[in-house]
Amino acid sequence: MKIRAWLLVTLIVCGLAGTVAAQRVACVGDSITYGSGIADRLKDGYPAQLQRLLRQYDRDWEVGNFGVSGATLLSRGDKPYVRESAYNDARAYNPDLVIIKLGTNDSKPQNWLYQGDFIADYSAMIDAFRGLPSKPQVWICKPVPAFAVAWGISPEIIRDQILPLIDQIARQKNVPVIDLYTALSGQGRLFPDNIHPNAEGAGVMAKTIAACLLGVRFPPDFNGDWQVDLEDLIALIEHWGRNESALDLAPVPFGDGMVDANDLAALMEYWQWRLYDPTLLAHWELDEDAGKVASDRMGGHDAALVGEPLWQPQGGRIGGALGLDGLDDALTTDLAVNPKDGPFSIFAWVKGGAPGQVLFSQQAGVNWLMLDAVTGVLMTELRGAGRVSNMLSSQTVIADGNWHRVGLAYDGANRTLSVDDLPVAKDSQAGLAASSGALHIGCGKNKAAGSFWSGLLDDVRVYSRAVQP
Ligand SMILES: [Ca+2]
Ligand SMILES: [Ca+2]
Ligand SMILES: [Ca+2]
């Protein structure tokens, strides 16, 4: 009976999957939205953090920061938002979603004089945004708490008067509310000046807002493979009816601790979703069937085909692959990862090869991953700057006509070579020699004869972390 209920629920929610697509988000607000008091507000302000969270789901999410320090919702306040150029900018942004977080500055005595206008002014702003050609969905936020009176801002007015008014507006205008007040209650340590959240506090805001927009509190990928699939569903089933915060996807934004139908529905909304690992710098899937460009799924580093590599749409390990002739075929990229800068890794599926051939190299640098010129074992020439440091060789020959997943990972202290997700060589190496050249795929550092790869190449990934095999 239980299983049948499961299947039924699964089938019902499956029909709803795929409704979450990337959109343009305009963040309207005051100095808390702007990011006052955050050292690097363009990186750590809540809109920037929100964009990063959303882009785990889809690279096309776009979040604009239209915060204005000191701005009030009240049009008779001392700095009405509607008279700021940011208001025009936010409307010209053509948003699909608008997040309004105002009210904090309205609690100042000179502004709260006009409290009687609050509902009408807020309604007018909601209507103005809803009337844009892009017909955005408007969300309103309960302001974050104030932890002391500062600049005339009143913690009590926010809590006792503004919060209930926001609820009232939400009902009257049928607009969804994001409760940033509850999200940050008791978190005074995240507010160095008692009013403005620091980067961590802005992160809590971003998480809360992202949860509301996405319908899920965090990515429903419990085993960390950036895919939402059967393994994640099984994890949910195994914890069904239990109190397990690591699987508490819903209800948004705060969860309920329990693993139940809410969480299943949230997961199914992302069924078969491919998430983006923020440490994945580039991912060439090599699934094209024509052309001289291998596109980067992460968007920033499309690779150029050199020579006459052949697309093999049916012949890959994952989808299609690229065939290289061992003479002059390769891929060049503009991705420059300096080995001196710390952890990174590179992985690919490969088939073929011969002694001396190179999979990855760095222009004006060294060969990152290659087959030993004599024995054909997998090795790297990447090493420390000192004369005592050595190359690292495995004992593993991969040129046996089968597909193998090969990798090189550096965690800042250790080099690891892997084949088929098992380590085949590892040593400590405190720091690698600096090199800022671009990554070559399928040829040596100098494109020397004999260094070109002969065989198939598929699913090349470069990370800014050490992915452990
Ligand atoms: Ca997963
Ligand atoms: Ca739950
Ligand atoms: Ca592929």
Side-chain angles (χ1 to χ4, degrees):
M1 186 61 213
K2 216 169 171 184
I3 296 292
R4 278 170 58 190
W6 261 104
L7 286 172
L8 188 63
V9 175
T10 306
L11 285 171
I12 291 167
V13 280
C14 264
L16 304 171
T19 55
V20 188
Q23 308 195 56
R24 284 164 78 78
V25 185
C27 297
V28 167
D30 48 35
S31 55
I32 294 169
T33 296
Y34 178 83
S36 298
I38 296 175
D40 190 349
R41 71 175 193 93
L42 295 177
K43 176 173 157 279
D44 295 328
Y46 105 69
Q49 297 201 56
L50 176 63
Q51 178 171 286
R52 278 204 293 284
L53 291 173
L54 295 171
R55 284 188 175 179
Q56 290 179 52
Y57 297 81
D58 192 322
R59 302 294 289 178
D60 293 334
W61 279 95
E62 195 82 47
V63 180
N65 186 337
F66 300 96
V68 178
S69 291
T72 64
L73 183 279
L74 288 165
S75 60
R76 285 197 280 172
D78 57 1
K79 195 173 179 185
Y81 188 82
V82 290
R83 280 200 235 126
E84 294 293 321
S85 59
Y87 180 52
N88 295 327
D89 296 343
R91 286 181 295 167
Y93 188 65
N94 224 17
D96 304 300
L97 297 168
V98 178
I99 313 289
I100 306 175
K101 189 240 146 269
L102 286 164
T104 302
N105 293 309
D106 297 274
S107 72
K108 296 172 182 173
Q110 70 270 27
N111 297 324
W112 205 237
L113 273 179
Y114 305 106
Q115 57 177 283
D117 299 348
F118 196 80
I119 290 182
D121 284 352
Y122 217 137
S123 301
M125 184 180 283
I126 292 166
D127 289 340
F129 280 114
R130 282 178 170 170
L132 290 175
S134 58
K135 298 265 173 287
Q137 187 189 21
V138 178
W139 294 72
I140 62 175
C141 299
K142 292 185 176 172
V144 300
F147 292 90
V149 175
W151 298 282
I153 292 165
S154 161
E156 287 73 31
I157 287 177
I158 292 174
R159 185 190 64 210
D160 300 334
Q161 302 192 45
I162 293 181
L163 296 189
L165 285 173
I166 300 268
D167 281 328
Q168 198 179 330
I169 292 159
R171 282 193 304 273
Q172 285 183 12
K173 302 297 291 179
N174 193 23
V175 56
V177 178
I178 301 172
D179 187 359
L180 298 177
Y181 190 92
T182 302
L184 284 145
S185 287
Q187 303 284 334
R189 64 177 187 89
L190 304 180
F191 292 74
D193 65 5
N194 294 310
I195 301 295
H196 299 97
N198 60 15
E200 190 185 342
V204 176
M205 293 177 68
K207 260 187 99 166
T208 308
I209 295 168
C212 291
L213 301 188
L214 296 164
V216 61
R217 296 177 60 228
F218 46 83
D221 165 36
F222 307 125
N223 61 348
D225 65 356
W226 301 91
Q227 312 256 6
V228 181
D229 56 22
L230 197 58
E231 292 177 53
D232 305 300
L233 179 60
I234 288 169
L236 204 69
I237 293 169
E238 283 174 351
H239 294 84
W240 193 254
R242 281 198 250 154
N243 200 313
E244 177 54 66
S245 61
L247 305 179
D248 188 17
L249 299 170
V252 293
F254 304 124
D256 56 5
M258 287 303 289
V259 179
D260 59 18
N262 279 325
D263 307 285
L264 175 65
L267 180 135
M268 295 319 295
E269 192 76 9
Y270 292 90
W271 187 244
Q272 298 291 327
W273 206 271
R274 293 180 70 193
L275 297 158
Y276 290 92
D277 176 348
T279 69
L280 187 52
L281 299 175
H283 181 192
W284 297 282
E285 296 179 290
L286 305 177
D287 288 345
E288 285 84 352
D289 50 18
K292 299 294 262 183
V293 175
S295 70
D296 168 17
R297 187 170 77 93
M298 305 306 284
H301 302 282
D302 288 351
L305 275 61
V306 178
E308 308 78 29
L310 288 176
W311 292 112
Q312 310 273 337
Q314 262 75 51
R317 183 61 179 71
I318 306 169
L322 189 65
L324 308 177
D325 66 3
L327 300 173
D328 59 358
D329 293 353
L331 288 162
T332 56
T333 79
D334 65 353
L335 177 63
V337 176
N338 193 329
K340 187 173 181 287
D341 291 344
F344 67 93
S345 18
I346 187 162
F347 285 87
W349 282 99
V350 301
K351 188 175 174 179
Q357 295 185 350
V358 179
L359 281 164
F360 307 114
S361 66
Q362 205 176 3
Q363 194 176 21
V366 300
N367 295 325
W368 280 18
L369 203 56
M370 62 181 294
L371 305 187
D372 182 274
V374 178
T375 61
V377 296
L378 189 70
M379 62 169 291
T380 181
E381 293 182 352
L382 258 180
R383 56 192 185 117
R387 274 194 292 165
V388 291
S389 69
N390 291 311
M391 302 177 187
L392 177 66
S393 288
S394 72
Q395 311 258 302
T396 310
V397 175
I398 58 162
D400 58 1
N402 297 316
W403 279 107
H404 294 288
R405 187 170 194 241
V406 296
L408 163 69
Y410 182 64
D411 65 7
N414 301 284
R415 296 180 293 188
T416 306
L417 299 179
S418 64
V419 174
D420 299 329
D421 295 328
L422 293 172
V424 293
K426 182 171 182 172
D427 73 349
S428 61
Q429 196 82 182
L432 296 176
S435 180
S436 55
L439 179 73
H440 286 167
I441 302 172
C443 68
K445 58 190 174 185
N446 302 320
K447 296 201 177 102
S451 74
F452 287 84
W453 187 260
S454 59
L456 293 173
L457 198 61
D458 196 3
D459 206 61
V460 180
R461 301 171 185 228
V462 183
Y463 295 86
S464 63
R465 66 183 163 105
V467 176
Q468 293 309 331

